[in-house]
């Protein structure tokens, strides 16, 4: 009996129709990132666990990271996020780099979580960061990038929304509830988990963490205060700037937004599907002004966000935003093989078309024409070229359109020009 | 003292100027792959070690793979190559897929080798495969793709060459030296290593493997016989086809080419730098007609190759093939910020330019203009826009070209059209 080998749990096989969506998404991410002048970079996929230990948050490091010893015994981590790598790379060349520094990236990450709809163990993330500025308008640039990305992929403010908050504002408010700064990482985690837990369980969790009933009531009141942002000059300026650039329709204040990562210092934001039923957040980010110093650099202010590919792909599919033409094969022409005698002439014509910039399939085998036409049909290749002994004798070829069934004999020296025109007209190439 | 965290040995930090080369290489790989109608796909980066155990060759599996248990104890491998994944993916959907199947991919791989010039532990590979045809012309298509890739990146037949051989031919020849098929994997490894070892050491290695002096002499004679290909109808047809499509100048017969992987069954090829001093091979491939059945599918003939990114990047750099314009930032315009009062007007103008398809930097902070101009200068941004109270009062802006120092006052409603024309002229956008 044959041995079937299965893929690893939580990984994905990108068959061409799935890869096409991924490539399309990457191109949209590139377009929006570049429109703001951001340069693409990439870090290694393997990093040292020490890089995450400082600031990424306990859950990510202790429960979700793939960590293992290599053949020399060194402990390796499959990166669970990019920001610490970015901080390391900037710290390494801190004196040579030019600020404000704008970098973006789109690459793979790994987290050992329970795979489910909208979540895999191996996934991709768009990361984009602005380093060296500390102003509400710098934060706004990142939020505006999110809004423009949504516009670029065809999502509307009725479908998706970016919720914004400020940890500094929350810190002040928590202080006035008698919660000291030292205890705030715990309380931030508590707030971050509120929407994921039943109310009773959450209150019990809060009490277990040492909060009293009046503090819990105070926190609940805070989280329901949609006007809290008016106490923050930072948030006021962010919303004013978003109004000025006409993107506020994608944005809303929400005191519940805290984010799970420990390194955020002020503005935090998260985008969600508000028109559909996808519960997991689309992306999240915020300001992290201490991370560079934490990985060995001089202090530098920074703001950025990360978007996973799994949730956004699901949402784009749900809203019908993925254009069907991305699934077509990259060539629209097949040069068929008539017989063993004409095989080299066909291969040579195909090569000639490619040299003229026309993507072209060959059929590098002697087989019957019907089989080749069936292949073209199944692959949705609209044009086939037939080059039999008759055609060769007359220095011509037959072009057949499989869409309307029409065919035409064309002199061989005119074929590349003719096909270029037809394809440019039909497919706007 | 601050703790410096270092990258993992054998990994690379892709700073923007390095990532730009990578993206350019990927775009060339895409262009050539698509010109032959190949569709992009991708496999998971994590696979089961069983997938490689069958056929990838002992060295790759036992010495070079990163293998580790995940948090549930399951053994995970960081993929060292793609072909077994391709075979698994095709086997999984063997009945639904359309043949001949043409797929390509460009993604990361890991091998635990000693890092050196031209070799890293984490690297990228172009993989491209044609499945479902078994003809010399199918093999030729892959070799032609290599030659066209070289042409596309500006390499010449004096700089790089594709060396071709046929394992079946070698099998017949080895049989006539009294070496049985069972012993041939050992002898293939011996041949594969000959160029990497001193002559004396190699002869000793051959004797240790059980070959007698006359067999060793026979093998040496074989490996020096540049006319051996004439005994192979397969190779004769491959070379004849390459002549017909005008690509034979990139190709040469070489009986020393065997390839290290166990799954190759007939045609094998390898490309090398012949005009320079890079010793490691650029890419390698061949026909593997049994792999699909070995991973649980029905038998299907297949041919393909893989090219790592490290060696080719080194060669392209050595021969000056990397175009300098790829290192420029993606935006050519900076809208400066004059004062706190004009900040929102500047951010709004920048947003407007982006909506008109012009990639634009903002300076989302109130700081002095000289600092902003210095930023533009260091980033090589050729155009800056100044929007002060005067300009705003007159509903205009000042455009300054940092290359020639000229500046001009332009009505605000004309700026996007004007900039689009200037940028299209100067940068052929």
């Amino acid at each position: 009996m044959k041995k079937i080998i299965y893929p690893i749990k939580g990984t994905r096989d990108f068959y061409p129709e799935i890869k096409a969506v991924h490539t399309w998404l990457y191109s949209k991410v590139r377009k929006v990132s570049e429109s703001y002048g951001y340069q693409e970079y990439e870090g290694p996929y393997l990093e040292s666990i020490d890089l995450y230990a400082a600031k990424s948050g306990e859950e990510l490091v202790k429960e979700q990271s793939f960590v293992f010893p290599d053949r020399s015994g060194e402990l390796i981590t499959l990166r669970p996020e990019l920001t610490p790598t970015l901080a390391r790379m900037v710290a390494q060349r801190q004196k040579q780099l030019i600020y404000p520094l704008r970098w973006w990236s789109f690459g793979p990450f790994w987290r050992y979580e329970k795979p489910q709809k909208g979540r895999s163990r191996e996934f991709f993330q768009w990361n984009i960061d602005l380093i060296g500025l500390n102003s509400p308008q710098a934060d706004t640039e990142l939020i505006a990038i999110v809004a423009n990305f949504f516009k670029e992929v065809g999502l509307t403010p009725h479908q998706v929304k970016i919720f914004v908050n400020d940890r500094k504002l929350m810190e002040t408010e928590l202080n006035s509830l008698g919660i000291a700064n030292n205890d705030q990482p715990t309380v931030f985690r508590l707030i971050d988990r509120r929407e994921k837990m039943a109310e009773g369980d959450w209150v019990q969790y809060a009490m277990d963490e040492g909060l009293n009933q009046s503090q819990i009531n105070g926190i609940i009141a805070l989280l329901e205060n949609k006007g809290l942002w008016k106490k923050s000059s930072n948030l006021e300026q962010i919303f004013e700037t978003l109004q000025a650039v006409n993107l506020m329709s994608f944005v809303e204040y929400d005191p519940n937004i805290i984010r799970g990562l420990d390194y955020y210092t002020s503005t935090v934001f998260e985008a969600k599907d508000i028109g559909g039923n996808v519960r997991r957040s689309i992306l999240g980010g915020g300001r992290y002004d201490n991370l560079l110093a934490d990985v060995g650099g001089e202090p530098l202010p920074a703001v950025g966000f990360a978007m996973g590919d799994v949730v956004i792909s699901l949402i784009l599919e749900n809203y019908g935003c993925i254009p069907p033409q991305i699934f077509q094969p990259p060539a629209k022409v097949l040069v068929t093989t008539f017989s063993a005698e004409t095989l080299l002439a066909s291969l040579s014509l195909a090569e000639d078309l490619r040299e003229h910039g026309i993507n072209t399939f060959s059929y590098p085998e002697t087989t019957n024409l019907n089989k080749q036409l069936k292949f073209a049909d199944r692959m949705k290749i609209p044009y086939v070229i037939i080059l039999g002994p008759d055609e060769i004798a007359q220095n011509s070829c037959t072009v057949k359109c499989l869409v309307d069934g029409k065919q035409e004999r064309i002199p061989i020296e005119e074929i590349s020009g003719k096909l270029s025109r037809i394809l440019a007209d039909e497919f706007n190439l």
Side-chain angles (χ1 to χ4, degrees), chain A:
Chain A
M1 220 193 87
K2 275 178 184 160
K3 188 179 175 185
I4 306 280
I5 297 162
Y6 295 98
I8 296 283
K9 191 174 170 182
T11 64
R12 290 173 290 170
D13 289 339
F14 288 85
Y15 286 89
E17 70 278 12
I18 304 169
K19 182 65 184 173
V21 176
H22 194 253
T23 300
W24 171 77
L25 184 65
Y26 191 177
S27 76
K28 293 299 184 184
V29 161
R30 174 182 302 283
K31 187 173 173 192
V32 175
S33 305
E34 293 190 345
S35 75
Y36 283 79
Y38 285 67
Q39 291 183 285
E40 192 180 8
Y41 76 107
E42 179 61 294
Y45 302 155
L46 308 180
E47 287 276 13
S48 153
I49 187 69
D50 299 341
L51 190 62
Y52 308 100
K55 285 285 168 174
S56 294
E58 215 169 280
E59 191 188 14
L60 196 65
V61 175
K62 295 204 177 142
E63 293 166 29
Q64 298 178 348
S65 293
F66 284 86
V67 187
F68 62 95
D70 73 9
R71 286 174 190 266
S72 77
E74 191 178 4
L75 267 188
I76 308 274
T77 308
L78 293 178
R79 62 180 191 181
E81 59 150 340
L82 189 59
T83 318
T85 297
L86 168 66
R88 177 180 65 68
M89 286 174 65
V90 171
Q92 278 170 189
R93 296 199 180 175
Q94 198 152 357
K95 294 273 188 288
Q96 302 103 285
L97 294 169
I98 304 166
Y99 307 92
L101 179 146
R102 287 176 170 93
W103 283 2
W104 71 278
S105 179
F106 188 80
F109 296 85
W110 294 265
R111 291 185 194 168
Y112 190 77
E113 295 184 279
K114 200 174 156 61
Q116 57 187 52
K117 205 166 172 70
R119 188 163 70 188
S120 60
R121 288 184 178 172
E122 179 172 83
F123 57 96
F124 284 74
Q125 257 187 8
W126 175 22
N127 277 266
I128 181 162
D129 296 85
L130 171 52
I131 294 180
L133 293 182
N134 183 3
S135 68
Q137 290 75 29
D139 299 3
T140 308
E141 180 166 304
L142 275 295
I143 297 167
I145 288 171
V146 176
N148 272 306
F149 169 77
F150 288 152
K151 284 167 74 175
E152 181 64 37
V153 294
L155 291 169
T156 70
H158 300 291
Q159 295 167 334
V160 290
K161 196 73 82 182
I162 309 157
F163 298 96
V164 183
N165 195 13
D166 186 333
R167 280 194 178 190
K168 283 220 176 77
L169 168 64
M170 300 306 278
E171 274 166 29
T172 313
E173 295 298 312
L174 291 173
N175 283 340
S176 66
L177 292 173
I179 298 166
N181 283 23
N182 271 352
D183 296 327
Q184 293 195 356
T186 308
V187 177
F188 282 166
R189 261 195 293 282
L190 186 68
I191 295 175
D192 188 50
R193 293 200 186 156
R194 186 171 173 229
E195 294 190 337
K196 296 162 198 154
M197 295 174 79
E199 182 74 12
D201 293 347
W202 183 79
V203 170
Q204 187 55 53
Y205 171 32
M207 294 179 86
D208 292 349
E209 293 287 353
L211 297 177
N212 61 41
Q213 192 59 51
S214 123
Q215 287 171 326
I216 295 173
N217 292 344
I219 293 172
I220 292 176
L222 265 185
L223 299 182
E224 285 168 2
N225 182 359
K226 296 280 178 186
L228 193 62
W229 63 274
K230 290 171 192 159
K231 291 187 178 181
S232 158
S233 154
N234 178 48
L235 289 175
E236 274 189 326
Q237 288 185 66
I238 288 174
F239 296 143
E240 177 194 40
T241 310
L242 285 163
Q243 291 285 5
V245 296
N246 271 322
L247 293 169
M248 194 61 201
S249 59
F250 277 104
V251 181
E252 208 174 288
Y253 174 66
D254 187 345
N256 291 283
I257 301 302
I258 283 293
R259 304 298 300 147
L261 299 165
D262 287 351
Y263 49 63
Y264 291 121
T265 50
S266 151
T267 309
V268 280
F269 55 91
E270 198 169 313
K272 293 180 188 175
D273 176 18
I274 56 160
N277 54 8
V278 177
R279 285 285 148 265
R280 291 179 62 80
S281 78
I282 300 172
L283 58 84
R287 175 160 289 284
Y288 52 98
D289 287 344
N290 302 329
L291 192 60
L292 256 106
D294 288 333
V295 299
E298 297 299 314
L300 259 182
V303 57
F305 68 81
M307 178 188 83
D309 70 324
V310 183
V311 172
I312 189 71
S313 299
L314 193 60
I315 288 172
L316 291 168
E317 200 187 311
N318 289 350
Y319 287 120
C321 293
I322 299 165
Q325 63 269 27
I326 67 169
F327 301 112
Q328 293 176 354
K332 308 273 173 265
V333 183
L334 164 68
V335 178
T336 59
T337 293
F338 190 85
S339 66
E341 289 69 37
T342 64
L343 174 57
L344 291 188
S346 279
L347 296 177
S348 178
L349 174 59
E351 198 60 39
D352 194 49
L353 294 178
R354 290 180 200 115
E355 274 199 18
H356 283 86
I358 301 167
N359 294 351
T360 305
F361 283 102
S362 297
Y363 211 102
E365 189 186 69
T366 310
T367 188
N368 77 64
L369 203 54
N370 274 342
K371 189 175 160 190
Q372 299 175 54
L373 293 176
K374 199 174 157 195
F375 165 74
D377 191 52
R378 291 193 65 197
M379 286 292 284
K380 300 189 169 40
I381 303 168
Y383 294 95
V384 296
I385 294 180
I386 296 154
L387 197 66
D390 279 6
E391 282 91 349
I392 292 175
Q394 293 177 32
N395 215 14
S396 70
C397 63
T398 298
V399 179
K400 181 172 175 153
C401 174
L402 295 187
V403 182
D404 59 16
K406 285 184 189 155
Q407 62 178 61
E408 198 182 348
R409 187 74 75 89
I410 294 175
I412 210 89
E413 69 273 16
E414 291 174 19
I415 181 66
S416 64
K418 175 106 182 168
L419 271 176
S420 296
R421 282 190 301 277
I422 294 176
L423 295 173
D425 285 353
E426 292 204 14
F427 301 98
N428 299 314
L429 293 177

